[in-house]
Amino acid sequence: MHRHRELCERAVDPLEIAAGLEAHGVTDRTAARFRHRDVFSLAEEMYARVPRDGDPPPRPVPPALSRPRPDLVLLTLLPGALCAATITGLRLTQGRTRLLVVAVGVLAVLLALRATLRRGPLSPRGGTRTAPHRAGAWTCWLLAYAALGDGLLHAAVTGGPDGPPTGTADGAWPFAATPLLTLALACAPAAWCAHLLAVRAGRRLDTSRGLEEFAASVRPLLLGTFTLYLCALAALTALCAAALGEPADYAATLTLGALLLLARLLTVHGFPHAPAVVLTGAATAEVLAVATVFAGRLPGCGFLAVPVETLVAARGPAAVPVLICATAALTLLLHAARTLTRASAHARTAAPC
């Protein structure tokens, strides 16, 4: 009680103390040393023992649990709108004008994404830690690979490429616009799903009477929110493919979208280390996959390209990013099912560890 006195004095119920203790590494085994069956029982005694002056103040409602503001809703639509404008300009221009349109468009989309991730439901909550690693560059690589990677890998396996990408889908190095447009438009459903998870988890934090009860109620909520986002992403993939006249690669888009959503949810709730490591690993694996094909052209190094060439011959070039992103997304999903179901991940005063 001496170590956590400040937490006990400002707490408005025992569950808030239990979430804070959990965030500081206190487990049921630790509680057993103090003759309590679990952390919540220990928190109840601490809540009863620490004196308070007068009635406790009402629990503040954080901005994350309020209704989304119209300006933040429009902000989540901005990356998709700018990406659509950039793709339209790419298809209507040629030569240096096309390069200028691409440069300006990419910069505008990146700035819009940065603003979206810094405000609203997709921004880290107040009091949570910032990411120890910079995963933004690797995320940009994953998005760039979604647009150009399959074309580059196919050209590399068949002996190319013979030149730089032309920005068209029928060139020697094809450009796939559907995944980029889909993921840019998916910022809106991702923000809505993040807001839904925060609202529902916050309500269950208020009504739960123990940490295990809270975890059991939040786990299906997390999986349901994740499934809802995948359904929205699949619908956007179909719409964008039809609008752009390109094939809809559901597997590649859904696996990459799932990876990016899980990484953002973990970062929002104060667990940035695992997403940074997994995103770095996934991007590095895609770099190595392409690099091994080119390295296999060196004398005596043909064996380096055998795994990737075998996979491409069997399933096509899209199988490489699908396999990598699916593995990374599954890793983060298992991690999220363990961390985002803690009360400390949704506590309003204590930052999770």
Side-chain angles (χ1 to χ4, degrees), residues 293-311:
V293 176
F294 287 107
R297 299 179 182 179
L298 299 175
C301 297
F303 66 93
L304 294 175
V306 171
V308 175
E309 290 179 347
T310 302
L311 182 60

Side-chain angles (χ1 to χ4, degrees), residues 19 24 72 100 116 182 215 230-231 246 270 320-321 327 332 346-347:
H24 288 87
L72 297 182
L100 180 61
T116 302
T182 301
L230 290 183
C231 293
E246 296 181 357
V320 174
T327 303
L332 284 187
H346 305 275

Side-chain angles (χ1 to χ4, degrees), residues 85-267:
T86 302
I87 293 174
T88 302
L90 179 65
R91 294 192 169 190
L92 296 178
T93 57
Q94 294 180 351
R96 293 185 177 179
T97 305
R98 173 178 291 177
L99 292 177
L100 180 61
V101 168
V102 171
V104 174
V106 169
L107 179 60
V109 172
L110 290 178
L111 290 176
L113 285 174
R114 183 180 181 184
T116 302
L117 298 180
R118 289 193 170 190
R119 299 182 62 191
L122 295 178
S123 62
R125 300 180 309 161
T128 59
R129 299 168 303 168
T130 57
H133 303 289
R134 295 288 184 178
W138 292 116
T139 302
C140 291
W141 167 263
L142 291 172
L143 294 174
Y145 190 95
L148 297 169
D150 290 348
L152 173 61
L153 187 59
H154 176 73
V157 171
T158 56
D162 298 326
T166 60
T168 60
D170 54 354
W173 185 349
F175 172 79
T178 298
L180 287 184
L181 181 58
T182 301
L183 293 172
L185 292 173
C187 287
W192 186 82
C193 289
H195 177 76
L196 177 65
L197 178 63
V199 169
R200 298 296 183 181
R203 291 176 181 174
R204 296 182 185 185
L205 183 63
D206 292 335
T207 58
S208 297
R209 295 298 302 164
L211 299 178
E212 293 183 0
E213 177 187 347
F214 176 78
S217 64
V218 171
R219 189 171 293 110
L221 172 63
L222 173 63
L223 296 178
T225 303
F226 178 67
T227 303
L228 185 63
Y229 172 77
L230 290 183
C231 293
L233 193 61
L236 286 175
T237 302
L239 291 175
C240 293
L244 297 176
E246 296 181 357
D249 193 349
Y250 291 100
T253 306
L254 290 179
T255 52
L256 178 55
L259 173 61
L260 296 179
L261 175 71
L262 291 170
R264 196 61 202 172
L265 287 179
L266 287 166
T267 301

